[in-house]
């Protein structure tokens, strides 16, 4: 047990570190409360987010998130364009995982239309979605390293992410905003040597992922900055509606691909990583980082299995099941998918007459995860606030949709 004294005006703050991990903050006297703004242009907020921080010396008593600086009007746009035209808007919500967002929306509309897809379409969707998941996690890990003062891992992550973006650009013609997964199919079949190139990437990247883990995840300074910080108990995480790596980081083994499976995921063998408490304190910032790092390896396994099982392209038409005019029968539907940041769900209402939705509501995992910022930040130090925000891995386009 180690004690550090911090002198403040009219107060004494003791930071007690237990086993070099959990920080317990004890104060003798309270100082005058101060209100600080972080953002909306602060680099560590990962977008135009403002945090109103109430501090007692170096200790944060409350951090209230404010948004509205990047309102994309996604849901209102959806009511004024037809169903196929909504797909490019989904790209622009979570612009780091466009394929995953397109797939979630396509699943929702296909459920409303009761469309059965060709198997090759399903395999290609899963391959590009898992590639996009890896690319998204690389951004999360690389930018998290920069938040905490490490620049080299960022370069490693973006070097390897570039290979994925090249593959997705080759398939779709775009590097970030794809418009590739259409309702009922795909914009195009993948190029002739695409599967071979993806297999080569998997072989290349697997040792690079191990190298990245040694460089960052096992780094003593990184561990001390993240372990025991921003702990979220499993029951509180569930009550907040957390999902994705945030929920799994709290020890809850919940993954929609496993627990409410869609597409061909039931046919694939992969694990749902959760922290075991050996390398981190379950529910802390380090746990959430570990889950993302471990999920990269699981995505590589999924991609390899898809490459082995994917049907031949002979006689394949990626648009065979795409309706010429999409006018669903009257009704409503909710469908969800496992995005890199958690559950992305779409609730759609159709009046049975229009080619546009009567109502389209996106359930954003980023928005839900960010809502717990008050509980996560209470009693933490100001520098640890940066570590907590980075561990949430928000994309403001989806938060402020």
């Amino acid at each position: 047990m180690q004690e550090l004294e911090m002198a403040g005006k009219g107060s004494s703050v003791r930071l007690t570190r237990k086993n070099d991990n959990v920080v317990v903050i004890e104060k003798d006297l309270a100082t005058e409360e101060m209100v600080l703004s972080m953002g909306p242009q602060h680099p560590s907020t990962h977008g135009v987010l403002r945090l109103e921080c109430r501090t007692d010396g170096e200790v944060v008593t409350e951090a209230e998130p404010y948004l509205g600086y990047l309102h994309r009007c996604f849901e209102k746009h959806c009511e004024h364009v037809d169903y196929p035209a909504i797909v490019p808007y989904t790209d622009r919500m979570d612009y780091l995982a466009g394929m995953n967002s397109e797939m979630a929306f396509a699943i929702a509309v296909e459920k409303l239309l009761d469309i059965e897809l060709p198997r090759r379409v399903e395999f290609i969707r899963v391959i590009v979605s898992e590639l996009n998941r890896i690319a998204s996690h690389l951004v999360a890990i690389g930018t998290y390293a920069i938040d905490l003062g490490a620049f080299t891992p960022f370069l490693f992550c973006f070097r390897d992410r570039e290979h994925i973006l090249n593959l997705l650009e080759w398939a779709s013609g775009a590097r970030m905003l794809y418009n590739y997964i259409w309702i009922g199919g795909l914009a195009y079949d993948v190029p002739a040597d695409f599967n071979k190139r993806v297999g080569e990437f998997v072989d290349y990247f697997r040792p690079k992922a191990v190298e990245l883990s040694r460089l960052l995840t096992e780094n003593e300074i990184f561990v001390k900055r993240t372990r025991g910080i921003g702990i979220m108990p499993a029951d509180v995480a569930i009550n907040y509606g957390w999902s994705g790596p945030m929920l799994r980081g709290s020890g809850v083994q919940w993954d929609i691909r496993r627990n409410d499976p869609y597409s061909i995921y039931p046919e694939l063998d992969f694990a749902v990583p959760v922290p075991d408490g050996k390398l981190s304190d379950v529910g802390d910032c380090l746990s959430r980082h570990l889950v993302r790092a471990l999920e990269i390896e699981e995505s590589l396994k999924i991609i390899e299995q898809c490459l082995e099982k994917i049907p031949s392209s002979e006689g394949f038409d990626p648009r065979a099941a795409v309706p010429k005019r999409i006018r669903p029968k009257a009704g409503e539907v909710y469908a969800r998918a496992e995005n890199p940041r958690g559950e992305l769900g779409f609730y759609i209402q159709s009046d049975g007459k229009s080619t546009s939705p009567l109502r389209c509501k996106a359930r954003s995992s980023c928005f839900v995860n960010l809502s717990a910022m008050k509980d996560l930040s209470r009693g933490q130090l100001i520098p640890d606030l940066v570590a907590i925000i980075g561990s949430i891995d928000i994309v403001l386009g989806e938060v402020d949709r």
Side-chain angles (χ1 to χ4, degrees):
M1 185 177 290
Q2 178 187 11
E3 273 199 6
L4 305 172
E5 289 284 340
M6 291 175 53
K9 185 179 178 182
S11 72
S12 174
V13 181
R14 287 188 301 278
L15 309 182
T16 308
R17 254 184 210 282
K18 296 182 179 178
N19 303 323
D20 290 329
N21 299 325
V22 181
V23 178
V24 179
I25 301 169
E26 298 175 357
K27 294 174 62 66
D28 288 341
L29 293 172
T31 60
E32 184 179 344
E33 188 179 71
M34 183 164 54
V35 179
L36 300 174
S37 272
M38 286 182 67
Q41 274 82 35
H42 196 287
S44 74
T45 58
H46 293 249
V48 280
L49 169 71
R50 182 171 80 89
L51 290 178
E52 184 183 85
C53 307
R54 297 184 178 276
T55 63
D56 184 0
E58 288 287 320
V59 180
V60 178
T61 58
E62 188 175 87
E64 177 82 28
Y66 285 86
L67 34 110
Y69 301 93
L70 185 77
H71 191 40
R72 290 188 177 275
C73 303
F74 168 80
E75 286 144 351
K76 217 59 189 164
H77 279 308
C78 294
E79 297 173 15
H80 294 85
V81 297
D82 59 14
Y83 286 93
I86 295 172
V87 174
Y89 286 111
T90 63
D91 283 321
R92 288 158 174 79
M93 288 199 306
D94 183 352
Y95 42 79
L96 297 178
M99 290 292 189
N100 305 82
S101 301
E102 291 175 10
M103 188 169 180
F105 178 73
I107 288 170
V109 182
E110 287 158 5
K111 193 174 178 181
L112 198 59
L113 293 170
D114 197 20
I115 292 177
E116 187 175 343
L117 301 178
R119 276 183 62 77
R120 183 173 170 84
V121 166
E122 297 280 23
F123 277 96
I124 292 173
R125 283 184 175 187
V126 170
I127 289 171
V128 295
S129 293
E130 293 304 319
L131 284 171
N132 214 171
R133 189 185 310 277
I134 296 171
S136 175
H137 284 342
L138 286 175
V139 173
I141 292 168
T143 54
Y144 197 30
I146 280 200
D147 287 343
L148 300 179
F151 189 65
T152 305
F154 173 82
L155 298 177
F156 277 49
C157 289
F158 271 65
R159 174 199 65 193
D160 295 331
R161 175 177 176 260
E162 201 66 18
H163 292 292
I164 297 175
L165 294 189
N166 287 339
L167 288 169
L168 297 181
E169 182 183 18
W170 193 27
S172 68
R175 289 181 68 78
M176 281 185 71
L177 308 173
Y178 304 105
N179 191 18
Y180 180 66
I181 296 177
W182 285 6
I183 298 162
L186 304 165
Y188 321 100
D189 192 5
V190 291
D193 290 335
F194 183 78
N195 293 350
K196 179 185 174 186
R197 287 265 298 274
V198 171
E200 290 170 353
F201 167 75
V202 171
D203 294 337
Y204 156 82
F205 181 63
R206 187 164 270 131
K208 298 296 182 186
V210 175
E211 183 182 37
L212 179 62
S213 177
R214 288 175 182 162
L215 180 69
L216 182 66
T217 308
E218 299 172 20
N219 183 283
E220 185 179 356
I221 300 172
F222 178 79
V223 170
K224 286 192 174 181
R225 283 296 310 273
T226 55
R227 187 165 188 176
I229 304 299
I231 294 177
M232 175 61 77
D235 57 338
V236 182
I238 291 169
N239 288 338
Y240 264 111
W242 272 14
S243 57
M246 298 291 287
L247 182 60
R248 293 190 283 276
S250 292
V252 182
Q253 203 166 28
W254 174 267
D255 188 313
I256 296 171
R257 295 171 296 174
R258 270 273 176 265
N259 299 93
D260 188 12
Y262 56 94
S263 189
I264 54 161
Y265 283 110
E267 303 174 30
L268 305 174
D269 180 30
F270 62 96
V272 179
V274 293
D276 56 10
K278 294 178 182 177
L279 301 176
S280 64
D281 300 323
V282 176
D284 64 1
C285 290
L286 183 55
S287 295
R288 296 188 277 272
H289 164 80
L290 285 170
V291 168
R292 294 184 183 101
L294 294 170
E295 280 186 2
I296 288 176
E297 173 59 30
E298 298 307 316
S299 290
L300 292 174
K301 289 180 187 175
I302 290 171
I303 292 168
E304 283 181 325
Q305 293 173 66
C306 288
L307 293 177
E308 291 173 5
K309 297 179 178 180
I310 187 170
S312 165
S313 61
E314 187 176 349
F316 172 65
D317 179 5
R319 305 181 189 180
V322 176
K324 291 184 178 178
R325 193 164 185 82
I326 299 176
R327 188 185 282 112
K329 61 185 179 184
E332 58 183 6
V333 70
Y334 178 77
R336 57 186 179 173
E338 185 70 34
N339 269 31
R341 284 156 197 82
E343 177 183 331
L344 176 64
F346 287 96
Y347 169 75
I348 299 172
Q349 272 187 358
S350 171
D351 60 5
K353 302 173 185 176
S354 173
T355 56
S356 304
L358 184 66
R359 182 79 176 91
C360 180
K361 170 82 171 109
R363 191 269 187 199
S364 161
S365 55
C366 289
F367 181 87
V368 176
N369 295 342
L370 181 64
S371 68
M373 193 64 208
K374 271 189 181 182
D375 276 1
L376 283 172
S377 59
R378 194 171 289 119
Q380 303 291 329
L381 295 176
I382 292 174
D384 293 334
L385 203 57
V386 174
I388 292 169
I389 298 170
S391 75
I392 300 176
D393 184 26
I394 52 173
V395 171
L396 261 296
E398 189 177 295
V399 174
D400 208 3
R401 64 205 176 282

